[in-house]
Each structure stands twice: as structure tokens, then as C-alpha cells.
Amino acid sequence: MNILLTGSNGFLGKTIVEILQKKHQIITLARSSGDYQLPLDKQVPNFKEKFNLIIHSAGKAHSVPKTAIEKKQFHQVNVIGTQNLLKGLENSAIPQQFVFISSVAVYGKETGTNITEESPLNAKDAYGMSKIEAEKNIFDWCQKNNVICTILRLPLLVGPNPPGNLGAMIKAINKGYYFNIGGGFAKKSMVLTEDVAKIIPVVSKLGGVFNLTDGNHPDFDELSITISKQKKKNKPLNLPLFITKLMGYFGDVVGDCAPINSLKIKKITSDLTFDDSKARELLGWNPQSVLEYLKNNNL
């Protein structure tokens, strides 16, 4: 296939290029590298090729905005950027298939287990709301133009040199100051970037909305111990829950300037897992275990 990949220089995008270019022609789009170099949130692309498949992976990643301007950036990048991409495609040639890389953040859940694709989209944060709006824009556009539409809702991504919370955990373990809270028994859904990349050519032909996870949902204790062993570091320490709750109460009193509060403590110590049985039944989704991957790969 002739594939356009946006966000080709991102954490997931790099893996998609590496895996799919072995069998397909990949045309890349990113802000400062690739075949098309432009900011989608500010510019409508002028495409010269016709594409069989669009993989829209570009977007502003999940982070906590501290100002109104930072909140607006999520809408600008994830919503306006998507609208500009769709306009560019309309001006060149309509593809046959469209895959959007979305997030489980659209559900707006801070706790819960086995959350399915049928769960309501209740996100109230700037990131989750921007992903909901982008999903709707893409779905409506695909229906209007008779394009097979796929939306992949992903949890924490795992792969080489991970950013975000996992990257921070690895850095802390390397430096010897990582510790679990309350035993670290909260389970979280995760998925490997390479497994996501491999399923895209399969799911793009079918269409639909899918959660993708490794199916095992490791807890912080399992994750930190596995990484520590791989890096030949000491077993992580544990901070008793009652101490962290006291820290959370103090953070509630201090306000936004505090690094932690009761809500953050609750999120860290609560399960948050998603159900991928739909992908397993319809796509033959059979991903690797994140823990097994971490045992055999030094991130």
C-alpha cells in the first residue's frame, strides 16, 4: 500500500515506519522531518500523491496543562491539525482507509477495570476532550467520503526510549530514587508500540473502534521490579500508603503549586484497565506481554 503517516517522528510513529516500510511505501509527515515538513495545526498540506491508507498519529501528547494557553494547544494541535489534514486530503485524493491513533483518555476514567469501547466518552480534561472531537471529525469525514474508518484507543505505550511516566520511572530507577506507593499494586493497561504497528494493516481493512492492550495489565510493583532486574539495580523501595495520604492532604491545602495531592494519590493507587477482547475476537489480536518484553529488552 501507499501509506501516509503523520507524526512520523513521534514515539509511536518511528516504530510504525520501522515495521511497515518493510512491505509498504511510507510517505511521512512531521513538523521538522519527513517527506512533508509542516505544522498541521497551522497549515493545510498540499499532497502530490494518492494514498491507500492514512495513519494519523500526529498530535499533542498527554500532559497536564498549567495555563489556559497550554489547554488551548491541545485543541489547536489535535482538532485543528486533524481538520487541516482532512482538508488536504480532500484537495488531492480521498484514501480508501483511515486509521486514527486515539487514546483511552477519551473515556475520562481515573479508576476502573476492563473498560470497553462501549463506555461513554466522558473526558473533561483538555487532552481527552481534544481526542474526542478529533475522533468525531474523522468518523464523520470518513462516512461522508466512503472511507473505511478505524480508531485505535491506546493506553500507556511501551517501547525503546519511552517518554512520559514510563520514561520517568526508568530514569528514577537508574538513579536509585524510585519508590512504589502502598505496595505498587495498582494495575494499569499498557501496550507495545511494535504490536500496535503490526496490527494496523490488518485493522485498516475492517474499520471500527478498538482498545488495544497487552491483556496482562501489570502493576507498578511488577513493572518496577522487572525494570530494576534488567538494569541490575536494587529492588525499589516502598512508601507506605498512610504517609502518601498525609502528603496528599498537605497538597490539597497548599493548592496547585504542590507536586502531589489526594486526587493524584488516588489515581496512582487505583486500577485502571481496558478491555481489548473485541480486538482479540475480530482481529486475532495476540500481543506480547509488556513484562516479558521488558525482561528481554533494555529500554
Side-chain angles (χ1 to χ4, degrees), residues 114-253:
N114 297 324
I115 298 163
T116 73
E117 295 89 347
E118 301 304 316
S119 298
L121 307 187
N122 287 332
K124 297 295 186 289
D125 63 297
Y127 173 69
M129 290 172 67
S130 70
K131 283 293 190 179
I132 291 173
E133 191 169 351
E135 281 191 11
K136 185 178 187 307
N137 288 342
I138 290 167
F139 180 79
D140 291 346
W141 185 87
C142 287
Q143 276 204 319
K144 173 186 172 184
N145 293 286
N146 197 29
V147 176
I148 300 174
C149 178
T150 302
I151 295 171
L152 300 180
R153 294 177 180 158
L154 307 183
L156 178 69
L157 287 167
V158 180
N161 301 311
N165 292 335
L166 181 57
M169 174 189 277
I170 294 170
K171 181 179 179 181
I173 289 173
N174 270 329
K175 294 189 174 183
Y177 60 74
Y178 178 80
F179 54 86
N180 285 311
I181 294 176
F185 300 130
K187 291 183 173 294
K188 305 292 182 180
S189 288
M190 304 176 189
V191 70
L192 292 167
T193 55
E194 62 181 73
D195 284 327
V196 174
K198 289 175 182 175
I199 202 66
I200 286 175
V202 177
V203 69
S204 65
K205 299 172 185 175
L206 178 65
V209 179
F210 297 92
N211 295 336
L212 297 182
T213 81
D214 82 333
N216 295 300
H217 320 297
D219 62 38
F220 286 114
D221 185 54
E222 294 172 317
L223 198 63
S224 59
I225 288 175
T226 301
I227 294 170
S228 297
K229 286 182 179 178
Q230 170 62 240
K231 294 186 173 297
K232 297 180 172 56
K233 300 293 181 179
N234 294 330
K235 182 180 177 180
L237 299 174
N238 178 62
L239 191 63
L241 186 56
F242 76 91
I243 294 179
T244 56
K245 283 187 175 181
L246 289 175
M247 294 168 61
Y249 294 144
F250 177 76
D252 296 341
V253 174

Side-chain angles (χ1 to χ4, degrees), residues 262-290:
S262 295
L263 180 59
K264 290 181 180 178
I265 295 296
K266 182 181 179 182
K267 289 173 67 174
I268 292 171
T269 56
S270 300
D271 290 346
L272 182 58
T273 63
F274 299 87
D275 188 330
D276 66 356
S277 58
K278 180 180 176 182
R280 292 176 184 272
E281 293 170 6
L282 298 181
L283 308 177
W285 170 249
N286 185 27
Q288 305 168 71
S289 159
V290 165

